[in-house]
Amino acid sequence: ATAISEMVRSQVVSAETIAEHFLERVESQERSIKAFVAFDPNGVRSQACQLQKGNVNGLLAGVPVGIKDIYDTVDHPTRFYSPIYEDNCPSRDAHVVSLLRQAGAVIMGKTHTTEFAYMHTGPTRNPHDLDRTPGSSSAGSAAGMAAGFFPIALGTQTAGSLIKPASYCGLYAFKPSYGLVSLEGVKPLAPSFDTVGWYGRSVRDLELMAQVLIPGFPKCAHGRNRGSFGFCRTARWDQVDEDVAKSLEAAVENLRMAGHPVSEVLLPEEFTAVFDDHLLINDCEGARSLSKERQMHPDKLSEELWAMIERASLTTWEQESAAKKRLAKSATVLEAIFKPFDAVLGASCGIVAPLGLGATGPSDFSKFWMAFGLPQINLPLVRDTGTLPAGLQVIGGFRNDSVLLQAAQQIDVVLRAAG
C-alpha cells in the first residue's frame, strides 16, 4: 500500500492501472476463495477513474481496500452475514470508510464476515489450503489479502477476529488500542472490546493506515538500534502445538542473537481468570447488542448466537460487574509489568489453520490481551516451504501504539533476515 500510494501520487502509475491489476486477481481466484459478499468491478473502475481525474495526493492514493461487511457503505449493502439484513442499504459510509475515501483509497467491495462478527461462519476459504478455515469474523478480508485481491483491508476484533485470521493466512495485522478509532457506522457486538483493525503487506502499511484512521497519530521513530522485549506464554501455553511453539521460540532466539534483549514474563496467578472473564462479558454484551434481532427475528439467528444468548441469560448482573472489576484491577498490574519493555511477544494462535470451514479454533492468545484493550500486531513467521502460516504476536502498552509499530518493524527486520 505504501509503494502503491507513492507511485500514484508521483504519477509513475495510474490509479486505473492499479485497479485493473487487482481486478484481474479477483477474476482469477474469487470463485475458489469466496472472499467477497459484494463486489462490483465497474464500480471499482469508476472510483479509480474519478480519483485520477481529481486529487491523487492522499496518503492512500489509488490503494484498493477490502471492507469487512459490518461497516456501513453507501455503495454496497451491509448485511452482517445475516438474513435479517438482506436488504440493508446504508445511506452513508461508516466513519472510517469515509476517511479511507478522503485519503484516496479505492473501495474494492465488502468482504465476508461471520454472523454479526461472532461465530457462525461463512463460505470463505483459506488461500493456503482451500480445505481449511481462513479464521474468524474478519475472514473475508484476511483471505482476500492472502489471495492478493487488495493490499490492505479493514477488519474488527472483539476476541480474536483480526489476529487469528492473520496468523492462519500469513498476514501483517494491527489492532490499535481500544477507543482510538471511531466505531461510528460499525455494528456493535461487545462494546467493551469491539475495535477497528486492519491487514497490510508490511509494518509500514499498518502504520500508513494508522495515520489515516487515527487523526493526530504520532509518528513512529524508526531507526533505533535495539528494542527490549518480554516473552509471555500465558496460562494457556499447553494449547500451542509443538511445531508452532518451535517456530515462536526460534523467533525469540533470533531476536536475542541480533542483540535485542528478550526476558521471560511470568504473570501472577490472578491472570488465569482473564480468559473466562472476557468470555462472560462478551456473552452478556453480545446478547444485549442483539436483543432487537432476538425479539423480532428469533428464527433467523444461528445456533451459535443462541448458545451465547443462553449463557448470558444464566449470568447475573453481579457476576458481570465482578468480571469487569477483576479486569480493571489486573490492568493496573499489567501496566507495571509492561513498563520495562517496548513490547511483549507471544503466540498469535496456538495452531495453524484447522481443516474445515465450520469452526475457526480458539482465540485465547489474542483475546487475553484484548480484555485489556492493548494494541496488538501479528507478524507472519518465516516458515519452511509447504508449511502452513503461523504468527508472532507483538503486544504494546495501552496507547503506546506508535512505540509498538516501531518495535514490530525492528522485530520484522530480524525475522526476515533470519529466514
Side-chain angles (χ1 to χ4, degrees), residues 142-190:
M145 282 287 301
F149 295 168
F150 27 73
I152 227 157
L154 279 181
T156 59
Q157 182 159 290
T158 303
S161 294
L162 191 84
I163 297 297
K164 183 166 65 176
S167 183
Y168 286 174
C169 293
L171 306 172
Y172 293 84
F174 179 40
K175 195 285 301 179
S177 291
Y178 176 79
L180 281 187
V181 186
S182 172
L183 284 162
E184 185 271 319
V186 184
K187 178 72 171 172
L189 180 64

Side-chain angles (χ1 to χ4, degrees), residues 189-193 281-290 320 324:
L189 180 64
S192 289
F193 305 129
I281 296 167
N282 196 127
D283 285 346
C284 291
E285 294 191 352
R288 284 196 291 271
S289 293
L290 296 171
E320 182 185 359
K324 291 192 173 189

Side-chain angles (χ1 to χ4, degrees), residues 174 176-183 195-196 198 213-215 217-218 375 398-402:
F174 179 40
S177 291
Y178 176 79
L180 281 187
V181 186
S182 172
L183 284 162
T195 308
V196 171
W198 48 88
L213 299 184
I214 311 173
F217 188 75
F398 187 67
R399 290 184 63 90
N400 285 344
D401 297 59
S402 61

Side-chain angles (χ1 to χ4, degrees), residues 188-368:
L189 180 64
S192 289
F193 305 129
D194 296 343
T195 308
V196 171
W198 48 88
Y199 298 111
R201 293 275 179 227
S202 66
V203 177
R204 296 281 181 159
D205 284 357
L206 301 180
E207 181 184 346
L208 180 66
M209 279 283 275
Q211 292 171 3
V212 172
L213 299 184
I214 311 173
F217 188 75
K219 291 276 188 180
C220 299
H222 295 292
R224 286 181 54 194
N225 292 327
R226 293 181 182 177
S228 178
F229 307 117
F231 181 53
C232 184
R233 302 170 194 269
T234 78
R236 300 274 169 103
W237 189 256
D238 60 346
Q239 294 182 6
V240 180
D241 283 355
E242 182 179 358
D243 173 58
V244 174
K246 286 181 179 178
S247 294
L248 290 164
E249 288 161 355
V252 169
E253 186 57 31
N254 286 332
L255 283 169
R256 289 181 174 135
M257 291 175 63
H260 296 279
V262 184
S263 306
E264 292 281 344
V265 174
L266 299 177
L267 297 174
E269 183 67 23
E270 67 200 66
F271 282 87
T272 57
V274 169
F275 305 97
D276 292 336
D277 285 343
H278 180 284
L279 176 62
L280 186 152
I281 296 167
N282 196 127
D283 285 346
C284 291
E285 294 191 352
R288 284 196 291 271
S289 293
L290 296 171
S291 58
K292 173 185 68 174
E293 289 82 2
R294 175 175 59 84
Q295 294 178 47
M296 295 180 65
H297 304 281
D299 58 323
K300 293 183 178 180
L301 298 181
S302 68
E303 292 181 4
E304 291 90 342
L305 270 182
W306 274 114
M308 178 189 75
I309 292 167
E310 177 65 20
R311 289 195 302 271
S313 71
L314 300 174
T315 304
T316 67
W317 184 267
E318 289 73 21
Q319 288 172 324
E320 182 185 359
S321 298
K324 291 192 173 189
K325 289 177 182 177
R326 282 192 295 271
L327 289 183
K329 182 179 178 181
S330 295
T332 303
V333 178
L334 199 60
E335 184 178 6
I337 291 172
F338 267 69
K339 195 168 185 179
F341 306 115
D342 294 300
V344 170
L345 315 178
S348 290
C349 193
I351 59 176
V352 298
L355 285 166
L357 304 180
T360 65
S363 300
D364 288 346
F365 292 101
S366 52
K367 79 177 183 182
F368 179 88

